[in-house]
Amino acid sequence: MFENYNKVQQAVLETTLNIIIRKELQATSMALIAKESGVSTGNIYHYFKSKEDIVNELYKAIVTFNGEQVRGGLLKGTTIREKFELGWNRVIELGKQYPQGFQFIEQYSFSPYIYEEVKLEVYTGGWCGPMNELYQEAIREKLFIPMNPKMMVQMHYGTFVYMLKAHLHGIFELSSESVSGAIRSCWNAVTLRDIT
Amino acid sequence: MFENYNKVQQAVLETTLNIIIRKELQATSMALIAKESGVSTGNIYHYFKSKEDIVNELYKAIVTFNGEQVRGGLLKGTTIREKFELGWNRVIELGKQYPQGFQFIEQYSFSPYIYEEVKLEVYTGGWCGPMNELYQEAIREKLFIPMNPKMMVQMHYGTFVYMLKAHLHGIFELSSESVSGAIRSCWNAVTLRDIT
DNA sequence: TAGATTAGAATGATCATTCGATCTTATGGT
DNA sequence: ACCATAAGATCGAATGATCATTCTAATCTA
């Protein structure tokens, strides 16, 4: 997840993620990050401009990583349906595999603490664009109902986010059958058919 | 939203909500709450045990209020389909009408800052229980596909949460047609039919 | 005039950030 | 091969600001 950073930066980013999820941003002090990461406060400031900078870098790293993974899934598919399934599958897999990163993005994607410029930079390089295009194409081919494609993507993302949240909070288990069932149900929700 | 509190408490809760949404919890200082609410710090501590207490009380107040509204919608309907539509409509209306409350709950429902006991207390008095039962009934009557009802409710809630989030961030407008379209699409996603 | 309410300065803790010193590493001259 | 030296990396104590909370005195109310 942090391959593009050096050892010290990796330690700081990983530790910060860990503490934020465990104790909230406001309880995440530089002293604590220093202690848990094994990097002195002085040295942290050698690699990061400020605390804000650490958190924004963390955000950037995770969303970029997720974007690459999901785009990879989208490219693997050939038909629209295949791309749909592979793409969303990656989203869910990422949430299961990196729960802390998932929770962090969930909590901070709408937070004023993350700079607008970072959010934008990351949105364009993420997976939303390609997914929006996929939906657009599906509408053009009369496969999906004529709804705002961006809205559909957001809604489907919300579906999986809450499925993952509930799973991470132990409300229910998430078998591969229930995942594919959920994806299929989303597909059904937006494909054209006669009954209303 | 804060009918059960006195004038001072209302001012403090409203101001706190406002600042938290604008500036994050960590930038929400008692001094700022005092200044913006017109209540001195000393007096705030006359009505609240601590800062944590204010935030938890805020959480409780909003979720309780939302719970009452949505349960009211559920009771108004007679058929399952009507209850489904009226219930989710209330959820969306609440988000549109009280965007700050909506955002606050969204950000803090999974935060360690809110006591587990408050989350639990509020969950039982909220709308999740009645909605779960509605889904359970729909499954029993072979109207819905045989999926974990709690999971379905979470997924549908996520759908509307992200629709609202995108709307609040100006990605698209939310007409009453697109809202009812979204609800219909959720209904279609889980009702039984022949095509896969 | 007693009790409840309000005010805001005082307190002590904690925090982000800075700074000067020490340690490590890489380089180049002998 | 060996050392001198400079540049970068690391450290943790010091700094000054800010914060949650407390306390005492003032004000209101019934």
Side-chain angles (χ1 to χ4, degrees):
Chain A
M1 213 135 152
F2 305 115
E3 303 83 3
N4 300 324
Y5 299 89
N6 65 37
K7 280 279 164 73
V8 174
Q9 289 170 321
Q10 282 184 21
V12 170
L13 290 172
E14 268 163 28
T15 306
T16 305
L17 175 58
N18 201 291
I19 301 175
I20 285 186
I21 293 304
R22 240 174 42 228
K23 316 181 102 177
E24 281 281 303
L25 180 58
Q26 60 137 24
T28 305
S29 69
M30 283 303 214
L32 192 59
I33 296 175
K35 200 177 129 200
E36 292 203 9
S37 66
V39 180
S40 68
T41 58
N43 205 24
I44 292 179
Y45 279 89
H46 193 259
Y47 289 98
F48 296 95
K49 259 205 338 280
S50 63
K51 189 179 155 182
E52 270 196 353
D53 187 43
I54 299 177
V55 178
N56 274 273
E57 206 60 45
L58 185 56
Y59 184 84
K60 221 190 288 184
I62 298 175
V63 183
T64 304
F65 179 78
N66 287 357
E68 284 163 9
Q69 300 291 112
V70 177
R71 277 206 315 277
L74 284 174
L75 287 174
K76 253 190 171 175
T78 51
T79 65
I80 291 181
R81 172 125 201 196
E82 248 178 33
K83 289 184 185 185
F84 182 92
E85 283 181 357
L86 288 169
W88 288 122
N89 233 310
R90 287 276 171 105
V91 170
I92 297 165
E93 277 310 310
L94 281 167
K96 285 175 79 171
Q97 208 170 341
Y98 304 96
Q100 290 187 326
F102 168 75
Q103 278 184 257
F104 175 75
I105 294 303
E106 263 322 289
Q107 278 197 30
Y108 290 90
S109 61
F110 291 95
S111 150
Y113 204 78
I114 307 293
Y115 310 135
E116 281 307 316
E117 108 214 25
V118 171
K119 284 185 200 161
L120 199 69
E121 176 192 335
V122 130
Y123 184 85
T124 48
W127 53 267
C128 274
M131 190 67 93
N132 285 343
E133 277 167 34
L134 180 70
Y135 277 55
Q136 182 82 70
E137 195 192 332
I139 296 168
R140 231 180 3 244
E141 298 203 2
K142 306 258 186 257
L143 200 58
F144 281 5
I145 54 177
M147 212 188 223
N148 182 332
K150 283 183 189 173
M151 181 161 132
M152 286 204 258
V153 170
Q154 287 300 313
M155 286 167 68
H156 282 173
Y157 182 59
T159 304
F160 300 125
V161 163
Y162 270 75
M163 192 175 78
L164 279 165
K165 275 192 177 178
H167 162 68
L168 292 177
H169 283 80
I171 297 181
F172 45 73
E173 253 318 296
L174 211 48
S175 63
S176 64
E177 295 89 53
S178 58
V179 168
S180 54
I183 295 179
R184 201 173 332 114
S185 141
C186 276
W187 174 269
N188 287 341
V190 296
T191 44
L192 278 168
R193 51 173 172 153
D194 11 341
I195 31 166
T196 48
Chain B
M1 214 135 155
F2 304 114
E3 303 83 4
N4 300 325
Y5 298 89
N6 66 36
K7 278 278 163 70
V8 174
Q9 289 170 321
Q10 281 184 23
V12 170
L13 290 173
E14 267 163 28
T15 305
T16 304
L17 175 58
N18 201 291
I19 301 175
I20 285 186
I21 293 305
R22 241 174 41 228
K23 319 182 104 179
E24 282 282 305
L25 180 59
Q26 62 137 27
T28 304
S29 69
M30 283 302 214
L32 192 60
I33 296 175
K35 200 178 129 198
E36 293 203 10
S37 66
V39 181
S40 69
T41 58
N43 206 23
I44 292 179
Y45 279 89
H46 193 258
Y47 289 99
F48 296 95
K49 258 204 341 280
S50 64
K51 190 179 155 183
E52 271 196 353
D53 186 43
I54 298 176
V55 178
N56 274 272
E57 205 60 45
L58 186 55
Y59 184 85
K60 221 189 290 185
I62 298 174
V63 183
T64 303
F65 179 78
N66 288 356
E68 284 164 9
Q69 300 292 112
V70 177
R71 277 205 316 277
L74 284 175
L75 286 175
K76 252 189 170 177
T78 49
T79 65
I80 290 182
R81 172 124 202 197
E82 248 177 33
K83 288 183 186 186
F84 182 93
E85 283 180 357
L86 288 169
W88 288 122
N89 232 310
R90 286 275 171 105
V91 170
I92 297 165
E93 278 310 309
L94 281 168
K96 285 175 78 170
Q97 209 171 340
Y98 305 95
Q100 292 186 326
F102 169 75
Q103 279 183 255
F104 175 75
I105 294 303
E106 264 321 289
Q107 279 198 29
Y108 291 89
S109 61
F110 292 95
S111 151
Y113 203 79
I114 308 293
Y115 311 135
E116 281 307 316
E117 109 212 24
V118 171
K119 284 184 199 161
L120 198 71
E121 174 191 336
V122 130
Y123 184 86
T124 47
W127 52 267
C128 273
M131 191 67 92
N132 285 343
E133 277 167 35
L134 181 70
Y135 277 54
Q136 183 82 70
E137 193 192 333
I139 295 168
R140 230 180 3 243
E141 300 205 358
K142 305 256 186 258
L143 201 57
F144 282 4
I145 55 176
M147 211 188 225
N148 182 333
K150 283 184 188 172
M151 181 161 132
M152 288 204 259
V153 170
Q154 288 299 313
M155 286 168 68
H156 282 173
Y157 181 60
T159 304
F160 301 125
V161 163
Y162 269 76
M163 191 175 80
L164 278 165
K165 275 191 177 179
H167 163 68
L168 292 176
H169 283 81
I171 297 180
F172 45 73
E173 253 318 296
L174 211 49
S175 63
S176 65
E177 295 88 52
S178 58
V179 168
S180 54
I183 295 179
R184 202 171 333 111
S185 141
C186 276
W187 174 268
N188 287 340
V190 295
T191 44
L192 277 168
R193 52 173 172 153
D194 9 343
I195 31 168
T196 49

